[in-house]
Amino acid sequence: MGRYFLIAGCAVVAFHFGGLTSGEVLAWVAGYLAGNRVALLASGLLGVLGLCSGSLLFGGIGFFNILYVVAKGIYELVQLLLCAMALGAMIFWFDLGANLWLEGGGTLAIILYAWLYGAAFSLRVFDFNYPLKDVLFSYTVLPFVCLAVIWVSGLIL
Protein backbone atom coordinates (compact mmCIF):
# COMPACT_ATOMS: atom_id res chain seq x y z
CA MET A 1 0.00 0.00 0.00
CA GLY A 2 2.94 2.29 0.64
CA ARG A 3 4.14 2.25 -2.94
CA TYR A 4 0.71 3.25 -4.18
CA PHE A 5 0.55 6.16 -1.78
CA LEU A 6 4.00 7.19 -3.00
CA ILE A 7 2.87 7.09 -6.64
CA ALA A 8 -0.29 9.03 -5.79
CA GLY A 9 1.77 11.57 -3.85
CA CYS A 10 4.06 12.02 -6.85
CA ALA A 11 0.97 12.67 -9.00
CA VAL A 12 -0.22 15.29 -6.51
CA VAL A 13 3.19 16.98 -6.61
CA ALA A 14 3.14 16.88 -10.43
CA PHE A 15 -0.32 18.49 -10.44
CA HIS A 16 0.91 21.15 -8.03
CA PHE A 17 3.96 21.99 -10.12
CA GLY A 18 1.78 21.86 -13.24
CA GLY A 19 -0.25 24.75 -11.86
CA LEU A 20 -3.46 22.89 -11.03
CA THR A 21 -5.09 23.83 -7.77
CA SER A 22 -7.08 21.38 -5.71
CA GLY A 23 -10.23 23.41 -6.38
CA GLU A 24 -9.84 22.93 -10.14
CA VAL A 25 -9.17 19.21 -9.75
CA LEU A 26 -12.14 18.76 -7.39
CA ALA A 27 -14.45 20.67 -9.75
CA TRP A 28 -13.38 18.53 -12.70
CA VAL A 29 -13.66 15.24 -10.77
CA ALA A 30 -17.05 16.12 -9.25
CA GLY A 31 -18.38 17.28 -12.63
CA TYR A 32 -17.13 14.17 -14.40
CA LEU A 33 -18.56 11.83 -11.78
CA ALA A 34 -21.91 13.66 -11.70
CA GLY A 35 -22.23 13.71 -15.49
CA ASN A 36 -21.26 10.08 -16.04
CA ARG A 37 -22.65 8.34 -12.95
CA VAL A 38 -24.96 5.89 -14.73
CA ALA A 39 -22.45 5.08 -17.48
CA LEU A 40 -19.68 4.50 -14.94
CA LEU A 41 -21.82 2.24 -12.79
CA ALA A 42 -23.19 0.24 -15.71
CA SER A 43 -19.88 -0.24 -17.49
CA GLY A 44 -17.98 -0.92 -14.28
CA LEU A 45 -20.39 -3.52 -12.99
CA LEU A 46 -20.74 -5.19 -16.40
CA GLY A 47 -16.95 -5.28 -16.70
CA VAL A 48 -16.62 -6.97 -13.31
CA LEU A 49 -19.28 -9.47 -14.28
CA GLY A 50 -17.41 -10.18 -17.52
CA LEU A 51 -14.10 -10.59 -15.67
CA CYS A 52 -15.56 -12.99 -13.12
CA SER A 53 -17.47 -15.07 -15.66
CA GLY A 54 -14.45 -15.14 -17.98
CA SER A 55 -12.23 -16.33 -15.16
CA LEU A 56 -14.69 -19.08 -14.28
CA LEU A 57 -14.91 -20.11 -17.93
CA PHE A 58 -11.16 -20.07 -18.57
CA GLY A 59 -10.46 -21.62 -15.18
CA GLY A 60 -12.81 -24.46 -16.04
CA ILE A 61 -11.07 -25.25 -19.31
CA GLY A 62 -7.56 -24.73 -17.93
CA PHE A 63 -6.60 -21.60 -19.90
CA PHE A 64 -5.06 -19.40 -17.23
CA ASN A 65 -2.38 -17.21 -18.78
CA ILE A 66 -4.08 -14.21 -20.35
CA LEU A 67 -6.95 -13.70 -17.95
CA TYR A 68 -4.64 -14.14 -14.95
CA VAL A 69 -2.47 -11.27 -16.23
CA VAL A 70 -5.57 -9.14 -16.82
CA ALA A 71 -6.95 -9.89 -13.34
CA LYS A 72 -3.57 -9.15 -11.73
CA GLY A 73 -3.27 -5.86 -13.65
CA ILE A 74 -6.78 -4.78 -12.66
CA TYR A 75 -6.13 -5.79 -9.05
CA GLU A 76 -2.99 -3.64 -8.88
CA LEU A 77 -4.55 -0.69 -10.77
CA VAL A 78 -7.58 -0.59 -8.48
CA GLN A 79 -5.31 -0.57 -5.43
CA LEU A 80 -3.46 2.43 -6.91
CA LEU A 81 -6.72 4.24 -7.66
CA LEU A 82 -8.08 3.62 -4.17
CA CYS A 83 -4.90 5.02 -2.62
CA ALA A 84 -5.07 8.03 -4.95
CA MET A 85 -8.71 8.56 -4.01
CA ALA A 86 -7.90 8.38 -0.28
CA LEU A 87 -4.99 10.79 -0.65
CA GLY A 88 -7.12 13.11 -2.78
CA ALA A 89 -9.91 13.02 -0.20
CA MET A 90 -7.49 14.03 2.53
CA ILE A 91 -5.99 16.84 0.42
CA PHE A 92 -9.43 18.14 -0.59
CA TRP A 93 -10.57 18.07 3.03
CA PHE A 94 -7.60 19.89 4.48
CA ASP A 95 -7.34 22.36 1.58
CA LEU A 96 -10.96 23.04 0.67
CA GLY A 97 -13.08 21.49 3.41
CA ALA A 98 -14.73 19.17 0.86
CA ASN A 99 -15.21 15.47 1.53
CA LEU A 100 -14.61 13.56 -1.71
CA TRP A 101 -16.03 10.30 -0.35
CA LEU A 102 -19.39 11.97 0.26
CA GLU A 103 -19.50 14.55 -2.55
CA GLY A 104 -19.65 12.26 -5.55
CA GLY A 105 -16.83 9.86 -4.77
CA GLY A 106 -19.27 7.22 -3.61
CA THR A 107 -20.01 6.20 -7.17
CA LEU A 108 -16.33 5.82 -7.96
CA ALA A 109 -15.75 3.95 -4.71
CA ILE A 110 -18.53 1.46 -5.50
CA ILE A 111 -17.02 0.77 -8.91
CA LEU A 112 -13.48 0.47 -7.58
CA TYR A 113 -14.51 -1.91 -4.80
CA ALA A 114 -16.50 -4.03 -7.24
CA TRP A 115 -13.40 -4.25 -9.46
CA LEU A 116 -11.16 -4.99 -6.45
CA TYR A 117 -13.33 -7.84 -5.22
CA GLY A 118 -13.99 -9.13 -8.75
CA ALA A 119 -10.27 -9.22 -9.54
CA ALA A 120 -9.60 -10.87 -6.17
CA PHE A 121 -12.22 -13.51 -7.01
CA SER A 122 -10.58 -14.06 -10.39
CA LEU A 123 -7.15 -14.42 -8.83
CA ARG A 124 -8.59 -16.88 -6.33
CA VAL A 125 -10.04 -18.95 -9.19
CA PHE A 126 -6.62 -19.18 -10.83
CA ASP A 127 -4.58 -19.68 -7.65
CA PHE A 128 -6.35 -20.63 -4.44
CA ASN A 129 -3.17 -19.83 -2.45
CA TYR A 130 -2.98 -16.22 -3.67
CA PRO A 131 -2.72 -13.93 -0.59
CA LEU A 132 -5.85 -11.79 -0.65
CA LYS A 133 -7.13 -11.43 2.92
CA ASP A 134 -4.73 -8.74 4.17
CA VAL A 135 -4.99 -6.64 1.02
CA LEU A 136 -8.77 -6.83 0.87
CA PHE A 137 -9.08 -5.97 4.55
CA SER A 138 -6.69 -3.01 4.40
CA TYR A 139 -8.32 -1.53 1.29
CA THR A 140 -11.82 -2.11 2.66
CA VAL A 141 -10.93 -0.23 5.84
CA LEU A 142 -9.21 2.61 3.94
CA PRO A 143 -12.28 4.85 3.35
CA PHE A 144 -13.39 4.42 6.96
CA VAL A 145 -9.96 5.48 8.20
CA CYS A 146 -10.07 8.53 5.91
CA LEU A 147 -13.55 9.42 7.12
CA ALA A 148 -12.44 9.00 10.74
CA VAL A 149 -9.46 11.32 10.16
CA ILE A 150 -11.75 13.84 8.50
CA TRP A 151 -14.24 13.63 11.35
CA VAL A 152 -11.58 13.97 14.05
CA SER A 153 -9.91 16.88 12.26
CA GLY A 154 -13.33 18.56 11.99
CA LEU A 155 -13.67 18.30 15.75
CA ILE A 156 -10.16 19.61 16.39
CA LEU A 157 -10.08 22.41 13.83
Side-chain angles (χ1 to χ4, degrees):
M1 184 182 285
R3 69 178 178 216
Y4 297 124
F5 275 116
L6 178 67
I7 293 169
C10 290
V12 168
V13 170
F15 284 154
H16 177 71
F17 285 129
L20 288 173
T21 64
S22 37
E24 293 170 344
V25 173
L26 179 63
W28 183 83
V29 168
Y32 181 78
L33 290 175
N36 299 315
R37 178 169 291 149
V38 175
L40 284 170
L41 281 172
S43 64
L45 296 178
L46 285 175
V48 170
L49 182 64
L51 177 69
C52 291
S53 60
S55 66
L56 287 174
L57 175 72
F58 289 133
I61 61 175
F63 187 68
F64 296 108
N65 297 339
I66 294 173
L67 207 55
Y68 177 79
V69 172
V70 170
K72 180 72 173 161
I74 289 172
Y75 188 67
E76 298 291 328
L77 179 65
V78 167
Q79 289 177 14
L80 173 66
L81 291 175
L82 283 170
C83 286
M85 189 171 174
L87 186 63
M90 300 303 285
I91 290 171
F92 293 147
W93 173 255
F94 287 113
D95 191 23
L96 304 171
N99 190 346
L100 179 64
W101 294 104
L102 300 177
E103 291 183 12
T107 303
L108 184 60
I110 289 170
I111 296 165
L112 290 177
Y113 280 107
W115 275 106
L116 180 71
Y117 279 89
F121 172 76
S122 295
L123 290 173
R124 181 62 75 166
V125 166
F126 296 130
D127 182 12
F128 64 90
N129 287 325
Y130 197 83
L132 297 172
K133 291 179 188 175
D134 295 334
V135 171
L136 290 179
F137 178 73
S138 63
Y139 282 96
T140 302
V141 173
L142 185 63
F144 298 112
V145 170
C146 287
L147 288 172
V149 168
I150 289 170
W151 180 71
V152 167
S153 69
L155 292 176
I156 294 172
L157 301 174

